Amino acid sequence: MPGLEMASCACALDATRLESCTLVIFGASGDLTGRKLLPALFTLFCQGSLPKRFVVVGAGRTKMTDAEFRATLRSAVQGFDEKRLKRWPEFADTIFYVPVEYTSEESFKELSQTLMAIEKSNPTGGNRIFYLATPPAMYVPIGRHLGQVGLASKHNSSGGWARLVVEKPFGRDLKSAVELDAVLHGSFAESQIFRIDHYLAKETVQNILMLRFANSIFEPIWNRNHINYIGIMATEDLGVEHRAGYYDQAGVIRDMFQNHMMQLLALTSMEPPALLSADRVLSEKSKVFRALKALDERTIVDSVILGQYGPGRIRGQEVPGYRQEDGVAADSCTPTFAMTRLFVDNWRWRGVPFYLVSGKRLQEKRTKIVIQFKEVPHSMFSDTLAENITANRLDIGIYPQEKIALRFEAKGQGATLCLSSVNMEYCYPVDPQGLHDSYGKVLLDCILGDHMLFWDQSGIELSWEFLDPVSARGDCPEAGRLLQPYASGSWGPQQAWPWMKLLLD
Ligand code: BG6
């Protein structure tokens, strides 16, 4: 296999550094808990990567007993191998459930009492992480009530710390993001707030800074003098699934662009900070958002394509269109696809287009970053070779393969002179057991109190400020007229294909 071998490196976390704590998950009966959080936690447990004493308390509006909650979570790890499943009963013993009415202060007082009772028999030093995995509309009442009943204090009555993890989307525009932040700061200090983006914890995404700044060969050419364009794609073949209630309010700009896509853009284009510390990295990212060339009424028309999936076929199976999905309004104008051409207006990037695309029910799930270099300035082979010389390209694959691939030209074997494109690539080993899952990583970082892989409020506000005109286009009454339809299983609306071609192999 053409490729490179990676010398093994000891990257495992020393779990003895982790302080004991209780993780309280609001929205515990929801999709995120079963699909992502619980499998990630159970994986960490089986690896011995959780703190010595660790308790999970599910909190939600559904009335359930501990036993019923444990039983629903058991089905979330159904696909785990036998060896790990044998350890489930031991893990399940550390899981509890508390019914909570998010808008009732009384209910939060009861939660506080129950937590103390649970921690009495499972001492975790009073350290608590509150994870908001509810619909975003609940963040405000939960944040407020945690403060009112004394659960948010930096050092609480049980002598431990309190931290708050906020799932995306953080607000639905600049105004609501500012309001949400003000409410959360009424209860929590900035150092206690962790605004999550699981893309930041993906191995290959973390690797972008290593690739750029731990090698001396890439950085000198990582600019407008050598790069023709940059593509960032996160396409999915899945539809809206059972999340229509949330998604129909959000759409692709709020669901994928304001967070994951903006982070990939920032990591690819930011300047190197002097040190790898959370505040310096976050500050460099904010500079990228500040440098984005604003989209106005006129430029937005040429820079943004919005689409919505219709019926079609995915891997041979017929699938319904977005408007036929359960829970979606029959006249919904919510965009499920967006492709944008953006410019980072600074010394390094002036004039280099960044194409960002994300959408549901597309031909394949593919997440990658394409760095397309310029063609050679002059071809000395023009008299000898029939074909043009293909420009170099660096692909940073995030899904399905986590890899780095550099395409360059080499002489084809044989008596006649010919060129062929060849790839030099490094693939991360496959991880079928989810040992390096991104949710596991962000949960551990939150236990450690490390903000490096989270958003700060400045970045959130700057990225909303930039994207508000785009999401407003998807919201406005005539949004339906602007939406380009596309068949499920295709590569999006026809209008986007010329740009799409630049990113596909
Ligand atoms: C989530 C979005 O944040 O990311 C989902 O809400 C999307 O709509 C998901 O499917 C994609 O994440 P991943 O890790 O599967 O690429």
Side-chain angles (χ1 to χ4, degrees):
M1 182 190 86
L4 308 170
E5 288 298 314
M6 190 187 235
S8 64
C9 74
C11 300
L13 177 81
D14 172 9
T16 57
R17 285 174 55 209
L18 299 168
E19 289 181 82
S20 298
C21 61
T22 300
L23 173 67
V24 182
I25 305 175
F26 292 103
S29 50
D31 172 73
L32 184 72
T33 309
R35 218 163 37 88
K36 299 283 189 183
L37 300 180
L38 202 279
L41 287 168
F42 185 45
T43 302
L44 292 175
F45 173 81
C46 294
Q47 281 174 313
S49 299
L50 284 177
K52 195 156 166 251
R53 291 176 189 281
F54 185 76
V55 170
V56 178
V57 177
R61 285 182 289 205
T62 315
K63 300 247 181 297
M64 258 192 282
T65 61
D66 290 342
E68 284 165 341
F69 183 50
R70 289 170 189 175
T72 61
L73 295 184
R74 173 64 178 75
S75 55
V77 296
Q78 196 56 43
F80 279 50
D81 56 62
E82 273 307 306
K83 193 166 160 230
R84 289 190 289 173
L85 285 179
K86 275 206 182 106
R87 301 202 56 199
W88 173 257
E90 199 188 328
F91 182 58
D93 278 351
T94 63
I95 300 177
F96 302 87
Y97 187 81
V98 188
V100 171
E101 201 44 65
Y102 299 138
T103 50
S104 149
E105 189 177 332
E106 215 33 56
S107 186
F108 277 77
K109 284 187 185 148
E110 285 165 24
L111 170 67
S112 178
Q113 299 296 324
T114 315
L115 283 180
M116 287 211 277
I118 292 172
E119 288 166 354
K120 212 164 180 187
S121 37
N122 303 271
T124 50
N127 300 324
R128 293 170 187 151
I129 296 174
F130 298 99
Y131 196 120
L132 304 185
T134 60
M138 292 299 122
Y139 296 174
V140 164
I142 297 174
R144 200 170 267 147
H145 284 131
L146 285 172
Q148 282 163 350
V149 303
L151 282 171
S153 327
K154 220 168 176 180
H155 297 289
N156 55 38
S157 53
S158 313
W161 43 252
R163 290 180 187 146
L164 181 75
V165 181
V166 190
E167 257 300 333
K168 54 144 270 264
F170 195 96
R172 54 176 288 108
D173 52 18
L174 174 60
K175 184 169 170 284
S176 54
V178 171
E179 285 164 6
L180 173 59
D181 192 54
V183 169
L184 299 183
H185 274 102
S187 304
F188 293 88
E190 179 59 24
S191 60
Q192 294 175 277
I193 302 175
F194 292 77
R195 302 172 188 82
I196 209 168
D197 187 323
H198 77 278
Y199 263 53
L200 285 174
K202 288 178 187 273
E203 287 287 334
T204 2
V205 174
Q206 290 184 68
N207 186 47
I208 298 171
L209 292 190
M210 313 293 147
L211 177 77
R212 290 189 57 199
F213 303 131
N215 294 293
S216 60
I217 58 169
F218 296 116
E219 204 41 33
I221 54 169
W222 208 267
N223 56 49
R224 64 191 300 271
N225 298 326
H226 298 277
I227 293 178
N228 188 358
Y229 63 84
I230 290 185
I232 299 179
M233 83 187 285
T235 58
E236 298 183 82
D237 51 358
L238 283 183
V240 69
E241 307 289 288
H242 39 276
R243 296 165 73 219
Y246 149 75
Y247 194 89
D248 207 36
Q249 299 300 311
V252 66
I253 298 294
R254 296 186 177 94
D255 186 50
M256 292 292 292
F257 270 69
Q258 190 275 335
N259 29 74
H260 310 325
M261 303 299 280
M262 283 290 131
Q263 282 293 347
L264 296 181
L265 169 71
L267 289 166
T268 310
S269 59
M270 66 188 253
E271 296 300 318
L275 266 182
L276 189 72
S277 66
D279 56 339
R280 288 175 206 230
V281 170
L282 290 167
S283 147
E284 289 304 335
K285 285 182 182 173
S286 284
K287 286 185 201 161
V288 171
F289 302 137
R290 266 193 200 102
L292 282 170
K293 192 169 180 177
L295 296 170
D296 58 30
E297 277 303 302
R298 200 174 48 81
T299 49
I300 210 166
V301 179
D302 297 328
S303 314
V304 179
I305 299 163
L306 297 177
Q308 189 187 68
Y309 66 83
R313 295 179 85 82
I314 299 271
R315 285 187 294 275
Q317 293 281 319
E318 287 204 11
V319 294
Y322 180 68
R323 291 180 183 182
Q324 290 86 52
E325 300 274 19
D326 274 353
V328 173
D331 57 353
S332 168
C333 296
T334 302
T336 59
F337 172 98
M339 186 150 197
T340 59
R341 184 183 54 195
L342 313 176
F343 292 92
V344 179
D345 242 353
N346 61 16
W347 191 280
R348 186 192 282 260
W349 294 117
R350 171 95 202 184
V352 177
F354 285 73
Y355 296 98
L356 274 58
V357 62
S358 180
K360 296 222 179 264
R361 281 280 191 242
L362 294 169
Q363 202 175 103
E364 270 172 34
K365 180 166 171 67
R366 260 195 223 183
T367 317
K368 68 171 181 174
I369 299 171
V370 172
I371 314 292
Q372 179 63 55
F373 293 98
K374 291 187 172 171
E375 289 177 0
V376 290
H378 166 74
S379 170
M380 63 181 269
F381 307 106
S382 54
D383 285 351
T384 354
L385 292 174
E387 71 274 27
N388 288 333
I389 300 181
T390 311
N392 301 125
R393 175 165 166 147
L394 182 73
D395 270 16
I396 303 177
I398 299 168
Y399 190 92
Q401 253 182 332
E402 294 195 303
K403 67 171 186 183
I404 300 157
L406 178 65
R407 186 180 70 193
F408 59 98
E409 297 298 284
K411 181 188 171 303
Q413 274 181 322
T416 19
L417 194 65
C418 65
L419 276 179
S420 52
S421 296
V422 291
N423 259 333
M424 188 156 64
E425 63 180 34
Y426 168 68
C427 298
Y428 275 81
V430 280
D431 178 22
Q433 300 199 340
L435 301 183
H436 304 290
D437 176 75
S438 47
Y439 272 91
K441 168 75 179 146
V442 283
L443 286 163
L444 287 180
D445 279 4
C446 184
I447 299 173
L448 286 166
D450 183 350
H451 277 88
M452 176 84 74
L453 300 183
F454 295 84
W455 280 85
D456 65 353
Q457 183 64 14
S458 144
I460 296 249
E461 289 181 15
L462 288 163
S463 89
W464 276 129
E465 189 179 341
F466 175 73
L467 286 169
D468 270 359
V470 182
S471 41
R473 263 179 98 83
D475 291 338
C476 66
E478 76 266 55
R481 205 166 46 77
L482 303 169
L483 275 185
Q484 306 286 324
Y486 62 96
S488 288
S490 70
W491 276 121
Q494 226 165 350
Q495 208 193 345
W497 290 358
W499 287 354
M500 232 17 202
K501 271 195 14 223
L502 299 173
L503 311 194
L504 295 169
D505 303 326

